Amino acid sequence: MRSIFRHEITVLEPFKQQLLQWAQTHREVLVLDSNGHQDAHTSFDLLVAVDAFTSLKTDQSNAFQELHNYQQATQDWILGYLTYDLKNNVEKLRSRNFDGLEFPDLYFFQPKKLFLLRGNQLELHYLKLCDDEFEADLGEIESQELNSTEVSNALVIQSRIAKEEYLIKVNRMKEYIQQGDIYEANFCMEFYAEQAQIHPLETYSQLNRISQAPFTVFFKNKAQYLMCASPERYLQKKGLRVISQPIKGTAKRFADPELDAQAKSHLATDAKERAENIMITDLVRNDLSKTALPNSVVVEELCGIYSFKQVHQMITTIASQVPENCPPVDLLKTTFPMGSMTGAPKLSAMQIIEELEETQRGLYSGSVGYFTPSGDFDFNVVIRSILYNEERAYVSFSVGSAITSLAHAEQEYEECLLKANAMRAVLQ
């Protein structure tokens, strides 16, 4: 179904920028960049997919079944996103809060052209109907004159929840915890700008320079954009092995090496942060067990500390083995939404989140990723992200933190502001 062409890149960084700039001429674009973060789970350095041959766009109802049918029918590379509000397809829930972005609940596309970069080796996966275009495309990409447009958005950023209201809501969530309704919940708030005009690619490039995260995404579907600097993997399947890597626990980075080391050490031993992480680890273990072979769910690393440009993070890796006949989409449906963005127990946490938050999450705290022709997949968690609906001139980014019985509302508010720094810096 696809032809694979190989090409060696002599000067890497200009080519990456040229490829991204060339991709903008297409209506559908998805870019996944690992930013040089390499571990045992990394499949490539950069993936760029353009130009939908087929696509799936649907609302919450029956979304996972439709995605299953689409994935089985194509048996090809398909790429796209799941919004948080697909929770309503998994549980008997509703989303009633304000939505200023109005993205489809689920969108995937089968690209005509896909580029995979590993080191300086480029693979071009072209549908047969585009075979005769790859040489011309390479020539066009490598002849791109890079634009040096500076981002000067200067937007007026507003908060959907004022600080005083945020503190009240966090304390209300703690009351639910004290009553035994939940152990933990992820509480989020939106920052937004109306009548906004931004340059999506340049905004993405600047966000990526600031963050250099391992699960970075640029997504374009006509006038809808996602610019994502996520450090978190939601779920990956390679063969019969599945892993999830929830993040719970955040600490600020410092320019002074001694202060930075202290912050990292404090995070590793912080009782509240470890409790948050371990609660979600138990939730993810339970989710993975729904599809796993008996006794195959294991915690491979508990509360590991990893450093990124903006923050230190506490990350746990949980793995399982699944039967050969397990449909790939079932692995997503039985674990969605990811526990790090809900809380525990998951259903009660989602009900309370819906009550206390002011904004429909949409793609924020959803997931972006891909399926391969063999049914393997890799999906991130959409956090540290800017969303833009060009037609509505609406820009949005949201941040959140985990609320437990040990949470202090003022500190949770400060953690949210810390997480918002990169997006605010780019937009203002």
Side-chain angles (χ1 to χ4, degrees):
M1 195 174 187
R2 288 188 183 269
S3 299
I4 301 177
F5 308 99
R6 290 176 174 83
H7 180 70
E8 186 169 336
I9 309 302
T10 53
V11 185
L12 194 59
E13 193 53 39
F15 178 82
K16 286 176 64 175
Q17 299 306 314
Q18 289 170 321
L19 177 57
L20 265 61
Q21 187 169 289
W22 171 83
Q24 301 312 299
T25 62
H26 299 82
R27 192 170 69 166
E28 301 90 8
V29 181
L30 197 145
V31 176
L32 305 173
D33 194 343
S34 67
N35 281 302
H37 293 271
Q38 295 290 329
D39 59 26
H41 315 297
T42 306
S43 300
F44 49 77
D45 298 318
L46 180 73
L47 181 153
V48 177
V50 300
D51 201 1
F53 178 58
T54 67
S55 65
L56 170 66
K57 180 175 72 173
T58 187
D59 62 11
Q60 302 156 14
S61 59
N62 213 33
F64 284 102
Q65 184 61 50
E66 291 190 43
L67 178 59
H68 167 79
N69 296 342
Y70 183 58
Q71 188 270 327
Q72 292 292 305
T74 58
Q75 296 286 301
D76 190 17
W77 287 93
I78 59 171
L79 307 95
Y81 68 74
L82 314 162
T83 64
Y84 171 81
D85 297 287
L86 295 185
K87 64 183 174 62
N88 306 336
N89 185 218
V90 178
E91 302 283 358
K92 291 182 179 179
L93 297 168
R94 293 179 64 186
S95 298
R96 300 182 180 89
N97 291 327
F98 172 77
D99 176 16
L101 287 160
E102 298 186 350
F103 280 33
D105 292 324
L106 179 148
Y107 178 82
F108 278 80
F109 73 102
Q110 178 187 17
K112 291 181 182 177
K113 303 172 183 181
L114 183 140
F115 302 79
L116 283 176
L117 188 63
R118 299 180 180 92
N120 64 347
Q121 300 298 313
L122 179 70
E123 287 184 1
L124 300 87
H125 295 240
Y126 274 39
L127 288 179
K128 295 289 187 181
L129 59 91
C130 304
D131 271 4
D132 58 351
E133 298 177 20
F134 89 95
E135 288 184 347
D137 286 346
L138 271 176
E140 193 174 325
I141 291 165
E142 292 181 326
S143 64
Q144 291 273 315
E145 292 187 12
L146 292 175
N147 298 328
S148 56
T149 306
E150 289 295 322
V151 175
S152 56
N153 297 311
L155 302 180
V156 178
I157 305 295
Q158 303 179 69
S159 175
R160 186 68 59 187
I161 302 176
K163 180 179 178 180
E164 295 75 15
E165 189 179 4
Y166 175 91
L167 300 179
I168 292 169
K169 287 175 177 288
V170 167
N171 287 322
R172 176 65 183 127
M173 190 165 279
K174 289 183 66 177
E175 290 176 8
Y176 278 117
I177 293 170
Q178 291 157 4
Q179 292 164 10
D181 296 298
I182 50 172
Y183 306 111
E184 171 183 353
N186 190 277
F187 180 56
C188 301
M189 60 177 171
E190 182 196 26
F191 294 85
Y192 67 97
E194 297 172 312
Q195 299 179 345
Q197 292 185 332
I198 67 172
H199 189 296
L201 181 59
E202 292 301 325
T203 301
Y204 162 79
S205 297
Q206 186 168 331
L207 181 64
N208 195 24
R209 283 194 297 271
I210 291 171
S211 304
Q212 294 184 15
F215 301 101
T216 294
V217 175
F218 177 86
F219 170 77
K220 171 189 175 184
N221 179 23
K222 303 175 187 175
Q224 297 169 339
Y225 295 87
L226 166 70
M227 295 139 276
C228 172
S230 175
E232 184 171 359
R233 170 181 278 123
Y234 157 41
L235 203 66
Q236 181 193 68
K237 175 183 179 291
K238 281 188 176 180
L240 302 180
R241 174 178 161 81
V242 175
I243 65 163
S244 183
Q245 295 183 296
I247 290 179
K248 276 294 161 220
T250 304
K252 181 180 178 180
R253 297 217 60 181
F254 293 88
D256 181 283
E258 186 174 341
L259 290 176
D260 197 53
Q262 288 175 4
K264 186 175 180 179
S265 177
H266 182 265
L267 176 61
T269 57
D270 187 284
K272 172 187 175 291
E273 305 284 19
R274 290 184 66 88
E276 289 179 11
N277 195 295
I278 291 168
M279 286 181 198
I280 299 306
T281 297
D282 285 342
L283 186 155
V284 172
R285 288 174 65 242
N286 181 66
D287 282 350
L288 291 182
S289 71
K290 297 171 186 175
T291 54
L293 292 169
N295 303 314
S296 71
V297 179
V298 294
V299 177
E300 295 190 337
E301 182 183 30
L302 181 65
C303 298
I305 307 299
Y306 292 82
S307 300
F308 302 96
K309 287 198 74 172
Q310 298 284 320
V311 292
H312 301 293
Q313 301 276 203
M314 185 180 287
I315 305 176
T316 289
T317 300
I318 307 112
S320 70
Q321 294 286 324
V322 297
E324 288 189 28
N325 61 352
C326 183
V329 173
D330 281 7
L331 301 172
L332 297 171
K333 184 177 182 180
T334 53
T335 57
F336 195 83
M338 62 291 299
S340 62
M341 296 307 296
T342 60
K346 188 183 280 189
L347 178 57
S348 296
M350 290 190 291
Q351 291 169 333
I352 293 167
I353 285 167
E354 182 68 24
E355 174 196 331
L356 295 178
E357 291 183 358
E358 298 290 335
T359 309
Q360 188 169 313
R361 289 189 182 182
L363 185 46
Y364 171 72
S365 76
S367 184
V368 173
Y370 64 87
F371 292 89
T372 70
S374 66
D376 286 349
F377 61 71
D378 205 359
F379 283 84
N380 78 348
V381 178
V382 179
I383 51 176
R384 322 290 161 84
S385 301
I386 297 168
L387 289 150
Y388 178 45
N389 187 322
E390 189 172 29
E391 290 178 347
R392 292 178 55 83
Y394 190 88
V395 169
S396 169
F397 67 89
S398 296
V399 291
S401 68
I403 310 303
T404 68
S405 61
L406 300 175
H408 297 282
E410 286 275 358
Q411 292 177 6
E412 298 302 324
Y413 186 77
E414 291 303 317
E415 180 177 327
C416 288
L417 295 185
L418 171 63
K419 291 173 177 175
N421 279 346
M423 288 83 72
R424 188 184 290 277
V426 169
L427 292 174
Q428 292 187 318

